[in-house]
Amino acid sequence: VKGRGNVWGLAGGVPRLGMGLRLGGKVLLHLLLFLLFVGPFNCFASYSRATELFYSLNEGLPAGVLIGSLARDLRLPTAGGQHPMAPQPPLSFTLASRGLGGQYVQLDNRSGELHTSAVEIDREALCVESSEATIFGGAAAASSSSSSPSSESCLLLLDVLVLPQEYFRLVKVKIAIRDVNDNAPCFPVPHIHLSVPENAPVNTRLAIEHPALDPDVGTNSVQTYRLRDNYGVFTLDVEENESGERTPYLIIMGALDRETREEYVTVIVAEDGGTPPLVGSATLTIDISDINDNCPQFSDSQLNITLYGNSSLGTHVATVHAVDMDLGSNAQITYSYSQKVPQPSRDLFHLDESTGAIMLSSKVDGDTPKLHRLIILGNGPGCIPAVITVLVTIIKVMMRPPQVVPRFIANEVEGVVYLKELEPVNTPIAFFTIKDPDEKYKVNCYLDGDGPFRLSPYKPYNNEYLLETTKLLDYETQQLYEISVVAWNSEGFHVNKIIKVQVLDDNDNSPVFSQQLIELSIEENNVPNAFLTKLHATDADSGERGQVSYFLGPDAPSYFALDKTTGVLTVSTQLDREEKEKYRYTVKAVDSGFPPRESIATVTITVLDKNDNSPRFINKDFSFFVPENFPGFGEIGVISVTDADAGQNGWVALSVLNGSDIFVIDTGKGVLRAKVSLDREQQSSYVLWIEAVDGGDPALSSTAKITILLLDINDNPPLVLFPQSNMSYLLVLPSTLPGSPITEVYAVDKDTGMNAVIAYSIIGRRGPRPESFRIDPKTGNITLEESLMQNDYGLYRLLVKVSDHGYPEPLHSTVMVNLFVNDTVSNESYIESLLRKEPDISVEEKQPQISIEPAHKKLESASCMPTLVALSIISLGSTALVTGMGIYICLRKGKKHHRPDENLEVQIPLNGRINLHMLEKKPMEISNI
């Protein structure tokens, strides 16, 4: 079968070619003849029989790998098969049950192809035990046979139904999962201990009880073991039992001696037989156990000791010590006298059998021998005793030493006197009576040792001495003193009485902070319960008196916490530098004495800035009023912005988001300027967006809206729209009635306000009777004043002045209005020749009548009267108010000795250079109302 693995098949109980069966030549020939004869008649009947297929594949394959084709391996007929004319119903393949094995395979229902699924096959997880369990749709280990995989195989068992009915059969599919080397050997314990007696002979074999485990099988399992360091005395061997398990053995290759080396530490390595091989290791510790191969030994063979005859009972004479290099019970030594030691010597000197100490056990008198030979044996188990000789020479003394008899005043236990620190000076400790037992010699005494103590005669008694303190005791300086009261007589005999003075601690020390000023810093917006520091205070007192607890002072904010035991200082909430930058409060360290003592330290906390505040404009909307034709790079206004952060986080840079080709802003000062002069007639207002960006990382920003309104300046003269030319003319019939409108002069002004209010006047006339025509100064309408006579015929030329009401100087334009009085126009060329001649017109100096309404508004004079009156009153009031404010400002400047003006708020739009008289414009004379 093509594809991965091998396949074995039996269909209808008849063996097939290519199914992996090894047949002899003769059997194969008979089988072929049988198939040729029986096959055509039995092919359809065989479809109803059960079939078993075997496949094999490696574990761990990805999804989509072809395992086998059931239709091909079962040799089922397909479209275009043996009977091309007969209709072939489509085959259908279905898993009878999707058990454990079904999740690992994908079966194509039409083609019958079997592929691996997305669930990876792990042989070690699938077949935990090598049992011959049969699990439907599951996995089992198969026993070895000629037609199935070996005992090391792991099987997936699947039942597949083949339909339709004429091809129906139940196919038993067994998939053998082949092992791959995907597991390294692993020892069950990381450390293996093995004990070997030091007298173990060469070639001794010791089993290692924890061999390595490898879930893989066959050659992929553990094959060999080795030691990284054998120290020249060890090696490993591997034995395999009947079930195939391999056990490592440690072999002794050289002599061992525990007294030379008692332990060997190496690494045992297990290696499998895969390609490439995988290894695992563990630490192997070989302990060399002791045997009793050493006996006790004395370092010296003889000791010479001298003993005074006046020695008291229990006096230590000497100590003998033997050494055994073995361990434990093998090294136990006992001491005893040899049988050669006479009984009087045994009675005089006591020998401790465990320690080897020799003590004086009887009083020395005149009959005691001067020389004693003590032969002492050191006995070990199973050993010949070691021998040492102790020669004791006794020197007889005829006088007795002085006696020192203490009587303690202070508390004394077993020769130790207990005094509290801070006891007053001259505190009595004990009386000492010094005397000579023979009452023959004078006895003196003195105090030997360092410390604040004094031994002085206690009068009026003889041989009585008082031991007392000379200054205050301090437990923290020294806790124990050892002094001696020495008595000697005139013959030179000395006696020492050792006194130990133990100083008891008192709560006389306050806790001490390592720092009196604890300076801390923390970034704002910290996490709750953030760690600040760990306070540390020490107390020189002992016990509970030296145990320190920590507390916050009363001035500490409630959101700071201090652990009483550990001294850990935390803050329970987020700190905001913009709200408060510095904290300063006290902390206390209190000991556990009675009464308790305390000390105080100061904690200062600096909250470090984080860029958590965006720049903030004073206003979200700024408005500036600027006169047009304002000079380039003149100061339009100041944009004020703040940032609550500090340092670089609070540094703000301003920029223009739109209109940057016209306007520019000073980043540092916030001064807004225009690069070019502005013309209101081209654009009357500008809307800008200013962005403020701080210097943090990442940077924060905000925007503000700036509106710039241009104030009109009278920079445009009126523009005459009609008549369009000085060469045009109009026919006026002589029959025209007086008061009739003849024509009009129409003009506009691009300026606004009073700068756009236009007045019309005739400043020059020429004609037969030129005063016959009049112009309305408000509307520009030209009317006939008087009736025209016969001699009034002819060309009239009126020079009309069109003037605005601009300040400080009005602007004007002129136009020639030509009127031809006649019944008809019979000779146009003649009229045009007259128009081409320069008119000899004298200009009148009379000022035109002024109207306050723009020329382009045509209102009836009667309807404008209330408005004009109101405007006149408002203008007069404004003039008075502006004049008063000007006088007041001048007086204040005089009082301040011309002190420079302070900076104005950003909302003040006008340039300071504008003359005040522009604001004091008086109302002009109004006529023809």
Side-chain angles (χ1 to χ4, degrees):
V1 177
K2 296 181 181 179
R4 281 191 174 270
N6 302 319
V7 60
W8 301 265
L10 297 175
V14 181
R16 297 186 176 181
L17 293 177
M19 298 297 122
L21 299 178
R22 298 179 179 178
L23 303 176
K26 184 176 180 179
V27 176
L28 183 59
L29 179 60
H30 292 169
L31 178 61
L32 289 173
L33 294 175
F34 178 80
L35 289 175
L36 291 174
F37 181 78
V38 180
F41 300 98
N42 197 38
C43 60
F44 291 100
S46 65
Y47 294 150
S48 63
R49 302 175 184 178
T51 305
E52 188 175 64
L53 293 177
F54 289 92
Y55 297 99
S56 66
L57 76 160
N58 293 339
E59 63 173 324
L61 294 177
V65 175
L66 178 64
I67 300 173
S69 175
L70 302 185
R72 183 185 64 230
D73 298 337
L74 293 173
R75 297 185 178 177
L76 295 177
T78 58
Q82 293 180 354
H83 306 281
M85 299 303 294
Q88 296 290 336
L91 295 176
S92 174
F93 300 86
T94 307
L95 286 175
S97 173
R98 297 194 63 87
L100 176 63
Q103 64 178 324
Y104 297 106
V105 297
Q106 290 290 341
L107 177 62
D108 191 304
N109 293 45
R110 294 300 180 185
S111 66
E113 288 186 347
L114 198 62
H115 295 82
T116 56
S117 69
V119 181
E120 184 178 292
I121 300 176
D122 184 1
R123 182 190 178 282
E124 290 71 36
L126 195 62
C127 300
V128 179
E129 300 179 358
S130 294
S131 60
E132 193 148 351
T134 302
I135 304 173
F136 181 75
S143 60
S144 113
S145 66
S146 60
S147 62
S148 63
S150 67
S151 61
E152 294 179 348
S153 295
C154 173
L155 294 183
L156 281 179
L157 306 181
L158 304 173
D159 287 347
V160 180
L161 297 177
V162 182
L163 296 174
Q165 183 65 32
E166 53 266 31
Y167 303 121
F168 173 77
R169 67 176 61 194
L170 175 65
V171 182
K172 296 284 187 176
V173 178
K174 295 183 179 181
I175 303 174
I177 309 302
R178 292 194 297 265
D179 182 49
V180 298
N181 192 26
D182 57 346
N183 291 279
C186 179
F187 286 90
V189 293
H191 299 280
I192 302 174
H193 292 270
L194 195 62
S195 180
V196 180
E198 62 177 326
N199 63 342
V202 176
N203 294 327
T204 298
R205 299 170 64 87
L206 300 170
I208 297 176
E209 298 180 355
H210 300 285
L213 304 177
D214 192 330
D216 297 325
V217 297
T219 58
N220 293 330
S221 63
V222 178
Q223 300 297 315
T224 60
Y225 291 87
R226 68 175 185 273
L227 296 176
R228 288 188 182 172
D229 189 357
N230 57 21
Y231 297 98
V233 292
F234 301 106
T235 188
L236 287 179
D237 189 19
V238 179
E239 291 186 3
E240 184 175 354
N241 58 17
E242 295 178 356
S243 62
E245 296 179 354
R246 296 173 181 266
T247 302
Y249 282 81
L250 182 71
I251 302 176
I252 311 301
M253 301 297 294
L256 303 175
D257 184 7
R258 190 206 62 79
E259 288 73 32
T260 302
R261 184 164 187 168
E262 62 182 2
E263 182 184 75
Y264 295 87
V265 180
T266 185
V267 175
I268 181 172
V269 179
E271 182 177 310
D272 62 22
T275 303
L278 302 178
V279 298
S281 63
T283 301
L284 176 62
T285 302
I286 305 170
D287 297 317
I288 309 302
S289 59
D290 184 56
I291 63 170
N292 191 24
D293 57 347
N294 291 278
C295 290
Q297 292 182 354
F298 288 106
S299 58
D300 298 316
S301 60
Q302 181 173 309
L303 292 178
N304 296 318
I305 304 298
T306 299
L307 181 66
Y308 289 100
N310 60 352
S311 300
S312 58
L313 296 179
T315 299
H316 179 266
V317 178
T319 298
V320 295
H321 181 68
V323 177
D324 192 324
M325 299 299 295
D326 294 325
L327 292 176
S329 60
N330 295 330
Q332 290 182 355
I333 301 174
T334 59
Y335 302 94
S336 63
Y337 284 125
S338 172
Q339 295 181 356
K340 297 180 180 180
V341 178
Q343 190 62 40
S345 296
R346 293 171 181 259
D347 296 337
L348 184 62
F349 300 103
H350 171 72
L351 174 63
D352 190 303
E353 66 177 7
S354 298
T355 64
I358 303 173
M359 312 292 289
L360 183 63
S361 59
S362 298
K363 188 176 181 181
V364 178
D365 54 24
D367 297 332
T368 302
K370 295 181 180 181
L371 181 63
H372 295 267
R373 182 183 298 273
L374 305 177
I375 301 175
I376 300 175
L377 306 178
N379 305 295
C383 291
I384 299 175
V387 180
I388 187 173
T389 301
V390 180
L391 293 178
V392 181
T393 302
I394 298 177
I395 301 176
K396 293 186 177 181
V397 179
M398 301 306 298
M399 62 181 65
R400 290 182 291 176
Q403 293 181 349
V404 179
V405 181
R407 299 191 302 279
F408 292 99
I409 302 172
N411 184 28
E412 179 269 339
V413 177
E414 295 181 355
V416 180
V417 177
Y418 294 91
L419 291 178
K420 289 184 177 181
E421 64 174 334
L422 303 182
E423 288 280 1
V425 179
N426 300 325
T427 296
I429 298 174
F431 278 113
F432 289 90
T433 301
I434 310 299
K435 62 182 180 180
D436 180 16
D438 297 327
E439 298 182 354
K440 296 180 180 179
Y441 306 99
K442 181 181 179 180
V443 180
N444 295 313
C445 73
Y446 65 92
L447 188 63
D448 185 24
D450 297 329
F453 305 103
R454 176 177 58 217
L455 183 67
S456 58
Y458 189 74
K459 296 180 180 180
Y461 304 103
N462 295 325
N463 297 331
E464 293 289 342
Y465 293 85
L466 176 62
L467 178 64
E468 58 186 353
T469 60
T470 58
K471 59 181 180 180
L472 294 177
L473 302 176
D474 187 2
Y475 175 86
E476 288 72 36
T477 303
Q478 188 170 345
Q479 294 86 36
L480 181 65
Y481 296 90
E482 186 172 311
I483 56 178
S484 297
V485 176
V486 182
W488 83 97
N489 59 18
S490 55
E491 295 299 320
F493 283 94
H494 291 73
V495 174
N496 293 345
K497 182 64 176 179
I498 298 176
I499 306 296
K500 293 182 179 181
V501 179
Q502 176 68 54
V503 181
L504 301 178
D505 187 30
D506 201 355
N507 192 31
D508 59 336
N509 291 278
S510 299
V512 177
F513 280 100
S514 56
Q515 293 176 285
Q516 287 299 314
L517 178 61
I518 304 166
E519 296 179 326
L520 307 173
S521 63
I522 185 174
E523 281 193 341
E524 64 176 330
N525 304 330
N526 56 282
V527 297
N529 300 317
F531 173 83
L532 293 175
T533 189
K534 183 176 182 180
L535 303 180
H536 180 65
T538 57
D539 194 318
D541 295 323
S542 62
E544 292 183 354
R545 292 172 291 274
Q547 294 180 359
V548 180
S549 300
Y550 302 91
F551 302 94
L552 290 172
D555 54 345
S558 60
Y559 39 83
F560 288 96
L562 180 59
D563 190 278
K564 175 182 177 182
T565 305
T566 64
V568 173
L569 181 63
T570 57
V571 56
S572 60
T573 187
Q574 283 190 347
L575 300 180
D576 187 0
R577 188 204 65 83
E578 289 72 36
E579 181 180 338
K580 189 171 183 180
E581 185 176 6
K582 295 280 187 180
Y583 293 88
R584 185 183 181 94
Y585 53 86
T586 57
V587 291
K588 295 192 299 184
V590 183
D591 64 21
S592 301
F594 183 80
R597 301 173 70 97
E598 67 180 37
S599 63
I600 296 176
T602 301
V603 175
T604 63
I605 301 174
T606 302
V607 182
L608 303 179
D609 185 54
K610 290 182 71 175
N611 192 30
D612 58 342
N613 289 278
S614 301
R616 183 177 180 182
F617 290 93
I618 292 179
N619 296 312
K620 279 297 181 183
D621 296 318
F622 292 85
S623 296
F624 296 106
F625 297 88
V626 181
E628 65 173 331
N629 302 327
F630 194 67
F633 292 97
E635 180 179 324
I636 295 176
V638 178
I639 311 298
S640 295
V641 62
T642 60
D643 194 314
D645 294 322
Q648 186 174 352
N649 295 332
W651 181 86
V652 179
L654 298 173
S655 61
V656 181
L657 294 181
N658 61 326
S660 58
D661 54 338
I662 301 177
F663 297 94
V664 65
I665 190 166
D666 189 327
T667 297
K669 298 180 179 179
V671 177
L672 181 64
R673 306 176 189 273
K675 298 179 183 179
V676 297
S677 180
L678 304 178
D679 187 0
R680 190 204 64 80
E681 286 70 37
Q682 293 184 2
Q683 186 171 342
S684 62
S685 64
Y686 295 87
V687 177
L688 305 179
W689 290 96
I690 303 297
E691 182 182 38
V693 181
D694 62 23
D697 185 17
L700 301 178
S701 63
S702 62
T703 57
K705 180 181 178 182
I706 311 296
T707 302
I708 302 173
L709 300 173
L710 297 183
L711 301 178
D712 186 49
I713 299 296
N714 192 27
D715 58 347
N716 291 279
L719 176 64
V720 178
L721 300 180
F722 184 84
Q724 298 180 354
S725 171
N726 290 333
M727 301 298 292
S728 62
Y729 66 94
L730 179 68
L731 176 65
V732 179
L733 298 176
S735 61
T736 302
L737 297 176
S740 298
I742 303 302
T743 185
E744 70 171 346
V745 176
Y746 180 72
V748 296
D749 197 316
K750 293 182 180 179
D751 296 323
T752 60
M754 295 300 293
N755 295 331
V757 176
I758 299 175
Y760 301 89
S761 62
I762 299 175
I763 61 174
R765 304 168 185 262
R766 184 176 178 80
R769 191 154 55 95
E771 60 275 4
S772 300
F773 298 95
R774 175 183 174 275
I775 190 168
D776 190 311
K778 171 184 171 185
T779 64
N781 290 333
I782 297 176
T783 57
L784 179 66
E785 286 290 308
E786 301 175 356
S787 298
L788 298 173
M789 301 300 177
Q790 185 68 29
N791 57 351
D792 292 339
Y793 284 36
L795 179 64
Y796 291 79
R797 306 197 74 176
L798 306 178
L799 181 60
V800 178
K801 179 181 179 181
V802 183
S803 178
D804 62 22
H805 291 80
Y807 186 84
E809 182 179 353
L811 303 177
H812 70 274
S813 300
T814 59
V815 66
M816 188 69 72
V817 178
N818 302 302
L819 303 176
F820 185 64
V821 178
N822 199 11
D823 292 327
T824 61
V825 180
S826 59
N827 191 353
E828 292 185 4
S829 60
Y830 171 71
I831 298 174
E832 292 176 357
S833 65
L834 293 177
L835 293 176
R836 284 194 289 269
K837 294 181 181 180
E838 282 292 331
D840 185 12
I841 300 177
S842 60
V843 178
E844 300 176 1
E845 297 297 331
K846 182 181 178 181
Q847 292 293 332
Q849 300 297 321
I850 301 173
S851 173
I852 63 172
E853 293 294 330
H856 59 276
K857 293 185 178 179
K858 299 182 178 180
L859 299 175
E860 295 295 332
S861 60
S863 64
C864 294
M865 187 177 297
T867 304
L868 293 175
V869 172
L871 288 174
S872 300
I873 296 172
I874 293 172
S875 299
L876 290 173
S878 300
T879 303
L881 178 61
V882 171
T883 304
M885 290 181 63
I887 296 172
Y888 174 73
I889 292 172
C890 292
L891 291 176
R892 287 183 60 87
K893 287 185 178 180
K895 291 181 182 180
K896 296 181 181 180
H897 304 287
H898 304 284
R899 186 176 62 185
D901 292 342
E902 296 179 355
N903 291 334
L904 300 178
E905 293 294 330
V906 296
Q907 291 85 349
I908 297 177
L910 296 179
N911 192 303
R913 297 179 182 178
I914 297 177
N915 295 329
L916 290 175
H917 70 267
M918 295 181 66
L919 303 177
E920 298 174 356
K921 183 165 61 177
K922 297 180 181 179
M924 304 183 70
E925 182 182 354
I926 302 175
S927 61
N928 295 332
I929 298 178

